[in-house]
Amino acid sequence: MLTLALSITSAVIGNNKVKMAELTTLESLLEMGFGRNRAEKAVANTGNQGIEQAMDWLMEHENDPDIDEPYVPPAENVLGGEADETTAGDSGEAPVIAEEDELYSDNPEALKRPMTEEEKREQVKRLEELMRVKQAERRERERAEEVEREKQRRRQGQELQQIRQKIQDDEMKKLADQRRREKMEDKLARQRVKDKIARDREERAQKFGGGAPPSTVTSTQPTPPSPSSPTGQGPPPTKKEYDESRIQVRLLDGSTINTVFKAQEPLAAVRVYVQMNGNTPEGQDFTLLSPYPRHVYTELDMEKPLKELGLVPSAVLVVTKK
């Protein structure tokens, strides 16, 4: 019986000590300007391990949405509940109030002496200084984290810029390669046209020969007058055959170029000559015409010889835009 009473008394004393410690920590937080709801939550959630732990908890949870709501302790932590009453009732014995009073009177140090106003001010001052130190440490930590985030953002920006520059360089390289291929294809096309014209010249030279026909030579010799002719005059002279044509071409800017072509060369040879030696812009499509009588030459005319087009022995052609 005595043992049970002593156990209950020890539990009550320990509980009173805890309450006093909690009250001291709570009062200290209230003196520092924290709200009661925040202070109670800090003391409860740190298990009353001290003012420093309570301050750390408050700084870590100051942005919680429910930080200012009233603290509600769990049901199992409430002292003096039904379990204690049941135990006391089942024992069938009266409370040991007298023994508790005796223990308190015999152990005056069990109850903590209340702090004076001067001690409270000193403790609050120490706690405020501790709080300033912790806040400074927190600001320094946040500043370091912000610097690290900024460095990470800059690294990501530089990597993104390098990727964009690489893509742009690849696009420029592809465009340059495409232009180089187009120029090469255009050059090859021009060379094919020139080779075709050269082959046509050789074929015509082999076909028609380099000299004039024999009939032309005999026709140019003077014919003696016929004695039977009453007027004493011979037949009219035959028309002279020309194997060359002197062509003058007037360009788009008004300047002219002159050259000589074989009479049997196609009009396309004149067009190629203008492309190679004139000042016509690259890629500019143009056509040729005769000013008098006015005649615009078509693609079909390009394959016809100059002689057939009436451009022998000389002619003037004008370059016009299509």
Side-chain angles (χ1 to χ4, degrees):
M1 181 72 65
L2 181 60
T3 302
L4 179 60
L6 291 174
S7 299
I8 295 173
T9 303
S10 299
V12 171
I13 293 173
N15 188 29
N16 289 335
K17 288 182 178 181
V18 171
K19 285 185 177 180
M20 286 183 178
E22 290 181 355
L23 182 60
T24 302
T25 303
L26 180 62
E27 287 180 349
S28 300
L29 294 175
L30 294 176
E31 289 289 337
M32 295 175 65
F34 291 104
R36 176 169 292 275
N37 294 335
R38 295 193 178 198
E40 291 178 353
K41 285 185 177 182
V43 172
N45 285 285
T46 56
N48 193 29
Q49 296 181 1
I51 187 66
E52 294 187 14
Q53 287 77 4
M55 290 170 58
D56 291 338
W57 187 92
L58 283 172
M59 286 189 291
E60 291 177 0
H61 296 81
E62 62 179 352
N63 295 323
D64 291 355
D66 59 344
I67 187 66
D68 292 317
E69 295 181 3
Y71 173 69
V72 179
E76 59 271 13
N77 292 340
V78 178
L79 296 177
E82 295 179 358
D84 296 337
E85 295 176 359
T86 304
T87 304
D90 292 341
S91 62
E93 298 182 2
V96 288
I97 299 176
E99 293 182 5
E100 292 181 19
D101 294 336
E102 184 179 356
L103 289 172
Y104 278 103
S105 60
D106 294 338
N107 298 280
E109 296 298 330
L111 297 176
K112 188 174 181 179
R113 180 177 57 83
M115 298 177 64
T116 63
E117 292 296 327
E118 183 65 25
E119 290 174 341
K120 287 183 179 181
R121 284 194 296 271
E122 290 295 329
Q123 184 177 9
V124 169
K125 185 176 180 181
R126 288 195 302 271
L127 294 178
E128 288 178 348
E129 181 64 24
L130 178 62
M131 186 173 182
R132 282 194 295 270
V133 172
K134 289 186 175 295
Q135 288 177 346
E137 293 176 353
R138 181 181 179 183
R139 286 194 298 269
E140 184 65 25
R141 184 172 62 254
E142 291 177 350
R143 185 161 48 248
E145 292 175 355
E146 181 64 25
V147 171
E148 185 62 27
R149 285 194 296 269
E150 180 65 19
K151 290 181 179 180
Q152 183 68 18
R153 186 187 65 80
R154 291 184 178 181
R155 283 196 297 268
Q156 292 176 354
Q158 292 176 355
E159 293 174 357
L160 182 59
Q161 182 65 25
Q162 291 176 358
I163 293 174
R164 290 177 178 174
Q165 185 65 34
K166 186 176 183 304
I167 294 175
Q168 185 177 0
D169 293 342
D170 293 342
E171 291 294 331
M172 294 297 294
K173 185 177 179 181
K174 289 180 181 179
L175 183 59
D177 293 341
Q178 182 179 357
R179 290 180 178 176
R180 195 178 299 111
R181 285 194 301 269
E182 291 176 354
K183 289 184 178 180
M184 182 61 66
E185 291 174 358
D186 185 61
K187 184 177 180 181
L188 293 176
R190 291 175 179 269
Q191 187 63 37
R192 285 195 296 268
V193 173
K194 293 174 65 176
D195 294 342
K196 185 177 182 301
I197 292 173
R199 287 194 302 269
D200 292 342
R201 286 181 178 178
E202 293 177 359
E203 292 175 359
R204 290 188 178 89
Q206 293 176 2
K207 182 177 180 180
F208 297 101
S215 59
T216 306
V217 177
T218 57
S219 63
T220 57
Q221 296 177 356
T223 305
S226 176
S228 60
S229 174
T231 59
Q233 295 180 357
T238 59
K239 187 177 181 180
K240 185 178 179 179
E241 296 290 335
Y242 295 93
D243 60 350
E244 291 182 346
S245 175
R246 182 175 297 276
I247 302 296
Q248 183 185 72
V249 182
R250 185 178 301 166
L251 303 176
L252 293 173
D253 60 354
S255 61
T256 59
I257 54 176
N258 299 277
T259 188
V260 177
F261 296 91
K262 294 293 184 181
Q264 297 299 328
E265 286 191 76
L267 184 59
V270 180
R271 181 173 181 175
V272 173
Y273 180 81
V274 173
Q275 289 177 342
M276 301 299 294
N277 299 279
N279 55 4
T280 305
E282 185 176 355
Q284 175 68 51
D285 198 6
F286 64 91
T287 185
L288 300 172
L289 62 84
S290 295
Y292 183 81
R294 182 177 177 83
H295 177 74
V296 179
Y297 296 100
T298 63
E299 294 296 331
L300 297 177
D301 295 331
M302 294 298 165
E303 299 298 327
K304 296 179 180 180
L306 298 177
K307 184 176 181 180
E308 182 179 343
L309 295 173
L311 302 177
V312 178
S314 64
V316 177
L317 298 178
V318 178
V319 176
T320 60
K321 297 179 181 180
K322 277 191 174 180

